[in-house]
Amino acid sequence: QVQLVESGGGLVQAGGSLRLSCAASGSIFNIGVMGWYRQAPGKQRELIGTITSGSITKYVDSMKGRFTISRDNAKKTMYLQVNSLKPEDTAVYYCRASVNGDSHWGQGTQVTVSS
């Protein structure tokens, strides 16, 4: 069974930075495109960006600049670096990955930004 586990969330002051991780485990033969999403209270889940197995990244226009996605294929882990955090970045951050041809979601990690 494949699992995606996010970590690295927490409470941070506005202006600070965080690095989130998404680690894949289980019976894995192939990890394709991976992506980061977030869902703020009362809002729909939104895409931040994606990264291919060859580390080609794409970001939603509104997320360009402060968000950086990377991955370490040997560790089966994807990262999200977020800088200059704002209170409106408060959300549950989720990772999604194509593993063995199927789409999988992590359980999410809470990020809370205080002003």
Side-chain angles (χ1 to χ4, degrees), residues 63-82:
M63 305 293 183
K64 289 179 180 176
R66 297 188 298 117
F67 296 84
T68 303
I69 298 173
S70 60
R71 67 191 278 174
D72 183 330
N73 290 331
K75 295 182 178 179
K76 298 183 179 66
T77 300
M78 174 179 62
Y79 306 96
L80 177 67
Q81 177 73 34
V82 190

Side-chain angles (χ1 to χ4, degrees), residues 14-91:
S17 298
L18 274 179
R19 189 173 87 149
L20 307 181
S21 299
C22 169
S25 63
S27 182
I28 296 172
F29 303 102
N30 171 265
I31 303 177
V33 175
M34 304 180 79
W36 283 102
Y37 295 73
R38 70 181 185 182
Q39 187 166 16
K43 295 189 177 181
Q44 287 190 326
R45 193 172 299 188
E46 61 178 347
L47 174 65
I48 295 171
T50 60
I51 185 166
T52 68
S53 56
S55 291
I56 296 173
T57 54
K58 284 185 180 180
Y59 300 92
V60 171
D61 284 346
S62 60
M63 305 293 183
K64 289 179 180 176
R66 297 188 298 117
F67 296 84
T68 303
I69 298 173
S70 60
R71 67 191 278 174
D72 183 330
N73 290 331
K75 295 182 178 179
K76 298 183 179 66
T77 300
M78 174 179 62
Y79 306 96
L80 177 67
Q81 177 73 34
V82 190
N83 298 324
S84 302
L85 281 156
K86 306 175 182 179
E88 50 263 43
D89 292 321
T90 294

Side-chain angles (χ1 to χ4, degrees), residues 6 35-37 39 45 92-96 105-108:
E6 301 96 334
W36 283 102
Y37 295 73
Q39 187 166 16
R45 193 172 299 188
V92 178
Y93 285 70
Y94 298 90
C95 66
R96 183 180 184 182
W105 287 91
Q107 84 290 345

